Amino acid sequence: MADSPALPAVNREWHLLSRPVGWPKPEDFALVEAEMPVPGEGQVLVRNRYLSVDPYMRGRMSAAKSYVAPFELGKVMQGGAVGEVVASNAEGISVGDHVLHFFGWREYAAVDARHAVKVDPEAAPLSTYLGVLGMTGLTAYAGLLRTAAFKEGDAVFVSGAAGAVGSQVGQIAKLKGASRVIGSAGSAEKVKLLVEEYGFDAAFNYKDGPVGEQLRAAAPDGIDVYFDNVGGDHLEAAIGSLNQGGRVAVCGMISVYNNTEPAPGPKNLARLIQTRGRIEGFLVGDHYDLQPQFVQEVGPWVREGRLKYRETVVEGIENNLEAFLGVLRGDNIGKMVVKL
């Protein structure tokens, strides 16, 4: 086994102590000191440099049956991470290589080599492999182009548009010939960012008034595609503005993740009959076949500055939980990552 200089005696990692009811509370979690992992045969030891925190993690804190297994109580949580290999017991990955993997919420991780993807820190900053060139980027790409079947000339509405996924959806739509791109966000600062930096044609602060009214003002000719990150009143508003043959791609519904009672559905679903509209949910895990095409097309846009991205970087493993709660509050602009 090839290894690096001396490692710390302990590994700090976040455990889920109890399943949150409603909004997650600090006492539901604990940052604990654990034994330093030792890589077995076919494994590498990774010193994590950046950790991802994402809205979907709230669902894994619940015991309810979902598309992915819940986090186990009293054990370390999981999430996207990128880091440097400091010990290797696997062929094809050497000490000093950088890899993307799914064992975040901790400082060091022993990872099966088959679950580690080598990334090049010279080609792009390490943190981008968790965002614009990673899972969130592929989510935007697959949801817009495959699930929503975007075509040139479509008018597109994106909720949560200043977030990691939403900001890419709007920009990809513009780059591929959308007639109009509208975004909603939760602050005047984010609205300004959408129009001035990301090139959205219009944007509004959903806190300024009824979403349906603001959307109709921003898209008087209706919309052909709605990319849903929020649910609730945004989904109802989008259905109300949907043109004939309109499509809705449901990526997330962050507005209801902490509800303790089922949220009421849109009251205007019957309009889908009139518009022949379609609503379809999707998971990025079903679309990894698009990854090579995604990197080939989006990578140059990022390098050339045609597709812009923002990151909100929180320093320190001790602040991992606060960064996650910040995502649920909408504190982040672009991808929220934790730098270790």
PDB file of all heavy atoms in Angstrom, residues 16-40:
ATOM      1  N   LEU A  16     -26.127  11.260  12.402  1.00  0.00           N
ATOM      2  CA  LEU A  16     -27.533  11.576  12.634  1.00  0.00           C
ATOM      3  C   LEU A  16     -27.975  10.866  13.909  1.00  0.00           C
ATOM      4  O   LEU A  16     -27.918   9.638  13.988  1.00  0.00           O
ATOM      5  CB  LEU A  16     -28.388  11.123  11.445  1.00  0.00           C
ATOM      6  CG  LEU A  16     -29.883  11.439  11.528  1.00  0.00           C
ATOM      7  CD1 LEU A  16     -30.118  12.951  11.478  1.00  0.00           C
ATOM      8  CD2 LEU A  16     -30.645  10.753  10.394  1.00  0.00           C
ATOM      9  N   LEU A  17     -28.392  11.638  14.920  1.00  0.00           N
ATOM     10  CA  LEU A  17     -28.773  11.056  16.214  1.00  0.00           C
ATOM     11  C   LEU A  17     -30.266  10.746  16.289  1.00  0.00           C
ATOM     12  O   LEU A  17     -30.674   9.764  16.912  1.00  0.00           O
ATOM     13  CB  LEU A  17     -28.403  12.011  17.356  1.00  0.00           C
ATOM     14  CG  LEU A  17     -26.922  12.368  17.494  1.00  0.00           C
ATOM     15  CD1 LEU A  17     -26.724  13.227  18.733  1.00  0.00           C
ATOM     16  CD2 LEU A  17     -26.050  11.120  17.555  1.00  0.00           C
ATOM     17  N   SER A  18     -31.084  11.597  15.683  1.00  0.00           N
ATOM     18  CA  SER A  18     -32.530  11.384  15.699  1.00  0.00           C
ATOM     19  C   SER A  18     -33.122  11.958  14.422  1.00  0.00           C
ATOM     20  O   SER A  18     -32.536  12.846  13.799  1.00  0.00           O
ATOM     21  CB  SER A  18     -33.172  12.038  16.929  1.00  0.00           C
ATOM     22  OG  SER A  18     -32.863  13.418  16.986  1.00  0.00           O
ATOM     23  N   ARG A  19     -34.265  11.420  14.034  1.00  0.00           N
ATOM     24  CA  ARG A  19     -34.875  11.840  12.778  1.00  0.00           C
ATOM     25  C   ARG A  19     -35.651  13.146  12.989  1.00  0.00           C
ATOM     26  O   ARG A  19     -36.560  13.206  13.820  1.00  0.00           O
ATOM     27  CB  ARG A  19     -35.785  10.743  12.228  1.00  0.00           C
ATOM     28  CG  ARG A  19     -35.022   9.435  12.032  1.00  0.00           C
ATOM     29  CD  ARG A  19     -35.624   8.547  10.985  1.00  0.00           C
ATOM     30  NE  ARG A  19     -34.827   7.320  10.845  1.00  0.00           N
ATOM     31  CZ  ARG A  19     -33.718   7.223  10.114  1.00  0.00           C
ATOM     32  NH1 ARG A  19     -33.283   8.265   9.448  1.00  0.00           N
ATOM     33  NH2 ARG A  19     -33.056   6.087  10.052  1.00  0.00           N
ATOM     34  N   PRO A  20     -35.286  14.199  12.260  1.00  0.00           N
ATOM     35  CA  PRO A  20     -35.931  15.492  12.469  1.00  0.00           C
ATOM     36  C   PRO A  20     -37.431  15.438  12.188  1.00  0.00           C
ATOM     37  O   PRO A  20     -37.877  14.754  11.261  1.00  0.00           O
ATOM     38  CB  PRO A  20     -35.232  16.408  11.460  1.00  0.00           C
ATOM     39  CG  PRO A  20     -33.946  15.724  11.125  1.00  0.00           C
ATOM     40  CD  PRO A  20     -34.236  14.258  11.241  1.00  0.00           C
ATOM     41  N   VAL A  21     -38.183  16.153  13.002  1.00  0.00           N
ATOM     42  CA  VAL A  21     -39.613  16.360  12.761  1.00  0.00           C
ATOM     43  C   VAL A  21     -39.757  17.826  12.404  1.00  0.00           C
ATOM     44  O   VAL A  21     -39.453  18.713  13.199  1.00  0.00           O
ATOM     45  CB  VAL A  21     -40.453  16.013  14.006  1.00  0.00           C
ATOM     46  CG1 VAL A  21     -41.923  16.335  13.753  1.00  0.00           C
ATOM     47  CG2 VAL A  21     -40.265  14.551  14.383  1.00  0.00           C
ATOM     48  N   GLY A  22     -40.203  18.089  11.170  1.00  0.00           N
ATOM     49  CA  GLY A  22     -40.226  19.468  10.711  1.00  0.00           C
ATOM     50  C   GLY A  22     -38.813  19.945  10.420  1.00  0.00           C
ATOM     51  O   GLY A  22     -38.008  19.226   9.826  1.00  0.00           O
ATOM     52  N   TRP A  23     -38.519  21.153  10.879  1.00  0.00           N
ATOM     53  CA  TRP A  23     -37.205  21.731  10.587  1.00  0.00           C
ATOM     54  C   TRP A  23     -36.122  21.009  11.395  1.00  0.00           C
ATOM     55  O   TRP A  23     -36.253  20.817  12.600  1.00  0.00           O
ATOM     56  CB  TRP A  23     -37.223  23.217  10.949  1.00  0.00           C
ATOM     57  CG  TRP A  23     -36.078  23.938  10.302  1.00  0.00           C
ATOM     58  CD1 TRP A  23     -34.849  24.159  10.848  1.00  0.00           C
ATOM     59  CD2 TRP A  23     -36.047  24.496   8.997  1.00  0.00           C
ATOM     60  NE1 TRP A  23     -34.052  24.815   9.948  1.00  0.00           N
ATOM     61  CE2 TRP A  23     -34.752  25.043   8.803  1.00  0.00           C
ATOM     62  CE3 TRP A  23     -36.973  24.586   7.962  1.00  0.00           C
ATOM     63  CZ2 TRP A  23     -34.381  25.679   7.621  1.00  0.00           C
ATOM     64  CZ3 TRP A  23     -36.589  25.216   6.791  1.00  0.00           C
ATOM     65  CH2 TRP A  23     -35.321  25.752   6.629  1.00  0.00           C
ATOM     66  N   PRO A  24     -35.013  20.573  10.747  1.00  0.00           N
ATOM     67  CA  PRO A  24     -33.946  19.903  11.488  1.00  0.00           C
ATOM     68  C   PRO A  24     -33.357  20.801  12.578  1.00  0.00           C
ATOM     69  O   PRO A  24     -33.182  22.011  12.368  1.00  0.00           O
ATOM     70  CB  PRO A  24     -32.905  19.598  10.405  1.00  0.00           C
ATOM     71  CG  PRO A  24     -33.663  19.590   9.124  1.00  0.00           C
ATOM     72  CD  PRO A  24     -34.746  20.610   9.296  1.00  0.00           C
ATOM     73  N   LYS A  25     -33.048  20.213  13.728  1.00  0.00           N
ATOM     74  CA  LYS A  25     -32.488  20.952  14.854  1.00  0.00           C
ATOM     75  C   LYS A  25     -31.069  20.458  15.139  1.00  0.00           C
ATOM     76  O   LYS A  25     -30.765  19.279  14.910  1.00  0.00           O
ATOM     77  CB  LYS A  25     -33.350  20.765  16.098  1.00  0.00           C
ATOM     78  CG  LYS A  25     -34.794  21.225  15.918  1.00  0.00           C
ATOM     79  CD  LYS A  25     -35.610  21.046  17.180  1.00  0.00           C
ATOM     80  CE  LYS A  25     -35.794  19.582  17.570  1.00  0.00           C
ATOM     81  NZ  LYS A  25     -36.565  18.819  16.575  1.00  0.00           N
ATOM     82  N   PRO A  26     -30.203  21.318  15.659  1.00  0.00           N
ATOM     83  CA  PRO A  26     -28.819  20.905  15.928  1.00  0.00           C
ATOM     84  C   PRO A  26     -28.718  19.655  16.796  1.00  0.00           C
ATOM     85  O   PRO A  26     -27.809  18.837  16.609  1.00  0.00           O
ATOM     86  CB  PRO A  26     -28.223  22.131  16.637  1.00  0.00           C
ATOM     87  CG  PRO A  26     -29.006  23.287  16.086  1.00  0.00           C
ATOM     88  CD  PRO A  26     -30.408  22.759  15.898  1.00  0.00           C
ATOM     89  N   GLU A  27     -29.667  19.479  17.721  1.00  0.00           N
ATOM     90  CA  GLU A  27     -29.586  18.318  18.606  1.00  0.00           C
ATOM     91  C   GLU A  27     -29.908  17.000  17.893  1.00  0.00           C
ATOM     92  O   GLU A  27     -29.722  15.916  18.466  1.00  0.00           O
ATOM     93  CB  GLU A  27     -30.500  18.494  19.823  1.00  0.00           C
ATOM     94  CG  GLU A  27     -31.921  18.855  19.497  1.00  0.00           C
ATOM     95  CD  GLU A  27     -32.187  20.353  19.525  1.00  0.00           C
ATOM     96  OE1 GLU A  27     -31.282  21.148  19.150  1.00  0.00           O
ATOM     97  OE2 GLU A  27     -33.304  20.733  19.931  1.00  0.00           O
ATOM     98  N   ASP A  28     -30.386  17.074  16.658  1.00  0.00           N
ATOM     99  CA  ASP A  28     -30.602  15.856  15.871  1.00  0.00           C
ATOM    100  C   ASP A  28     -29.287  15.294  15.323  1.00  0.00           C
ATOM    101  O   ASP A  28     -29.276  14.189  14.763  1.00  0.00           O
ATOM    102  CB  ASP A  28     -31.537  16.141  14.679  1.00  0.00           C
ATOM    103  CG  ASP A  28     -32.947  16.530  15.114  1.00  0.00           C
ATOM    104  OD1 ASP A  28     -33.419  15.974  16.117  1.00  0.00           O
ATOM    105  OD2 ASP A  28     -33.557  17.389  14.457  1.00  0.00           O
ATOM    106  N   PHE A  29     -28.189  16.038  15.486  1.00  0.00           N
ATOM    107  CA  PHE A  29     -26.916  15.677  14.861  1.00  0.00           C
ATOM    108  C   PHE A  29     -25.782  15.781  15.876  1.00  0.00           C
ATOM    109  O   PHE A  29     -25.918  16.411  16.914  1.00  0.00           O
ATOM    110  CB  PHE A  29     -26.604  16.625  13.689  1.00  0.00           C
ATOM    111  CG  PHE A  29     -27.720  16.769  12.695  1.00  0.00           C
ATOM    112  CD1 PHE A  29     -28.757  17.686  12.909  1.00  0.00           C
ATOM    113  CD2 PHE A  29     -27.757  15.998  11.543  1.00  0.00           C
ATOM    114  CE1 PHE A  29     -29.793  17.818  12.005  1.00  0.00           C
ATOM    115  CE2 PHE A  29     -28.790  16.124  10.635  1.00  0.00           C
ATOM    116  CZ  PHE A  29     -29.809  17.035  10.865  1.00  0.00           C
ATOM    117  N   ALA A  30     -24.651  15.176  15.544  1.00  0.00           N
ATOM    118  CA  ALA A  30     -23.459  15.329  16.374  1.00  0.00           C
ATOM    119  C   ALA A  30     -22.210  15.194  15.516  1.00  0.00           C
ATOM    120  O   ALA A  30     -22.148  14.334  14.632  1.00  0.00           O
ATOM    121  CB  ALA A  30     -23.435  14.281  17.486  1.00  0.00           C
ATOM    122  N   LEU A  31     -21.239  16.058  15.772  1.00  0.00           N
ATOM    123  CA  LEU A  31     -19.916  15.931  15.163  1.00  0.00           C
ATOM    124  C   LEU A  31     -19.081  15.098  16.120  1.00  0.00           C
ATOM    125  O   LEU A  31     -18.821  15.514  17.262  1.00  0.00           O
ATOM    126  CB  LEU A  31     -19.290  17.310  14.956  1.00  0.00           C
ATOM    127  CG  LEU A  31     -17.894  17.336  14.344  1.00  0.00           C
ATOM    128  CD1 LEU A  31     -17.876  16.725  12.952  1.00  0.00           C
ATOM    129  CD2 LEU A  31     -17.354  18.774  14.306  1.00  0.00           C
ATOM    130  N   VAL A  32     -18.699  13.901  15.702  1.00  0.00           N
ATOM    131  CA  VAL A  32     -18.019  12.969  16.602  1.00  0.00           C
ATOM    132  C   VAL A  32     -16.612  12.665  16.111  1.00  0.00           C
ATOM    133  O   VAL A  32     -16.300  12.824  14.926  1.00  0.00           O
ATOM    134  CB  VAL A  32     -18.814  11.646  16.740  1.00  0.00           C
ATOM    135  CG1 VAL A  32     -20.245  11.916  17.179  1.00  0.00           C
ATOM    136  CG2 VAL A  32     -18.805  10.871  15.437  1.00  0.00           C
ATOM    137  N   GLU A  33     -15.785  12.236  17.049  1.00  0.00           N
ATOM    138  CA  GLU A  33     -14.442  11.781  16.710  1.00  0.00           C
ATOM    139  C   GLU A  33     -14.472  10.266  16.572  1.00  0.00           C
ATOM    140  O   GLU A  33     -14.910   9.556  17.489  1.00  0.00           O
ATOM    141  CB  GLU A  33     -13.436  12.211  17.771  1.00  0.00           C
ATOM    142  CG  GLU A  33     -13.210  13.715  17.806  1.00  0.00           C
ATOM    143  CD  GLU A  33     -12.077  14.103  18.745  1.00  0.00           C
ATOM    144  OE1 GLU A  33     -11.653  13.244  19.561  1.00  0.00           O
ATOM    145  OE2 GLU A  33     -11.608  15.258  18.668  1.00  0.00           O
ATOM    146  N   ALA A  34     -14.045   9.762  15.429  1.00  0.00           N
ATOM    147  CA  ALA A  34     -14.063   8.331  15.144  1.00  0.00           C
ATOM    148  C   ALA A  34     -12.651   7.870  14.797  1.00  0.00           C
ATOM    149  O   ALA A  34     -11.745   8.688  14.577  1.00  0.00           O
ATOM    150  CB  ALA A  34     -15.013   8.034  13.983  1.00  0.00           C
ATOM    151  N   GLU A  35     -12.482   6.558  14.743  1.00  0.00           N
ATOM    152  CA  GLU A  35     -11.186   6.020  14.358  1.00  0.00           C
ATOM    153  C   GLU A  35     -10.866   6.390  12.917  1.00  0.00           C
ATOM    154  O   GLU A  35     -11.750   6.459  12.070  1.00  0.00           O
ATOM    155  CB  GLU A  35     -11.181   4.489  14.487  1.00  0.00           C
ATOM    156  CG  GLU A  35     -11.179   3.981  15.912  1.00  0.00           C
ATOM    157  CD  GLU A  35     -11.041   2.467  15.959  1.00  0.00           C
ATOM    158  OE1 GLU A  35     -10.627   1.871  14.940  1.00  0.00           O
ATOM    159  OE2 GLU A  35     -11.368   1.892  17.007  1.00  0.00           O
ATOM    160  N   MET A  36      -9.577   6.627  12.653  1.00  0.00           N
ATOM    161  CA  MET A  36      -9.160   6.889  11.289  1.00  0.00           C
ATOM    162  C   MET A  36      -9.382   5.633  10.447  1.00  0.00           C
ATOM    163  O   MET A  36      -8.935   4.549  10.812  1.00  0.00           O
ATOM    164  CB  MET A  36      -7.674   7.280  11.271  1.00  0.00           C
ATOM    165  CG  MET A  36      -7.124   7.583   9.886  1.00  0.00           C
ATOM    166  SD  MET A  36      -7.951   8.955   9.062  1.00  0.00           S
ATOM    167  CE  MET A  36      -7.584  10.294  10.195  1.00  0.00           C
ATOM    168  N   PRO A  37     -10.120   5.737   9.329  1.00  0.00           N
ATOM    169  CA  PRO A  37     -10.357   4.548   8.509  1.00  0.00           C
ATOM    170  C   PRO A  37      -9.069   4.027   7.876  1.00  0.00           C
ATOM    171  O   PRO A  37      -8.157   4.797   7.568  1.00  0.00           O
ATOM    172  CB  PRO A  37     -11.343   5.054   7.446  1.00  0.00           C
ATOM    173  CG  PRO A  37     -11.164   6.528   7.400  1.00  0.00           C
ATOM    174  CD  PRO A  37     -10.753   6.943   8.777  1.00  0.00           C
ATOM    175  N   VAL A  38      -9.025   2.725   7.703  1.00  0.00           N
ATOM    176  CA  VAL A  38      -7.882   2.077   7.047  1.00  0.00           C
ATOM    177  C   VAL A  38      -8.387   1.455   5.747  1.00  0.00           C
ATOM    178  O   VAL A  38      -9.322   0.652   5.769  1.00  0.00           O
ATOM    179  CB  VAL A  38      -7.270   0.986   7.959  1.00  0.00           C
ATOM    180  CG1 VAL A  38      -6.146   0.271   7.234  1.00  0.00           C
ATOM    181  CG2 VAL A  38      -6.781   1.602   9.270  1.00  0.00           C
ATOM    182  N   PRO A  39      -7.807   1.823   4.613  1.00  0.00           N
ATOM    183  CA  PRO A  39      -8.298   1.278   3.351  1.00  0.00           C
ATOM    184  C   PRO A  39      -7.983  -0.206   3.214  1.00  0.00           C
ATOM    185  O   PRO A  39      -6.860  -0.650   3.452  1.00  0.00           O
ATOM    186  CB  PRO A  39      -7.551   2.106   2.297  1.00  0.00           C
ATOM    187  CG  PRO A  39      -6.316   2.589   2.973  1.00  0.00           C
ATOM    188  CD  PRO A  39      -6.684   2.760   4.420  1.00  0.00           C
ATOM    189  N   GLY A  40      -9.011  -0.993   2.847  1.00  0.00           N
ATOM    190  CA  GLY A  40      -8.821  -2.416   2.611  1.00  0.00           C
ATOM    191  C   GLY A  40      -8.385  -2.674   1.175  1.00  0.00           C
ATOM    192  O   GLY A  40      -8.082  -1.749   0.417  1.00  0.00           O
TER     193      GLY A  40
END
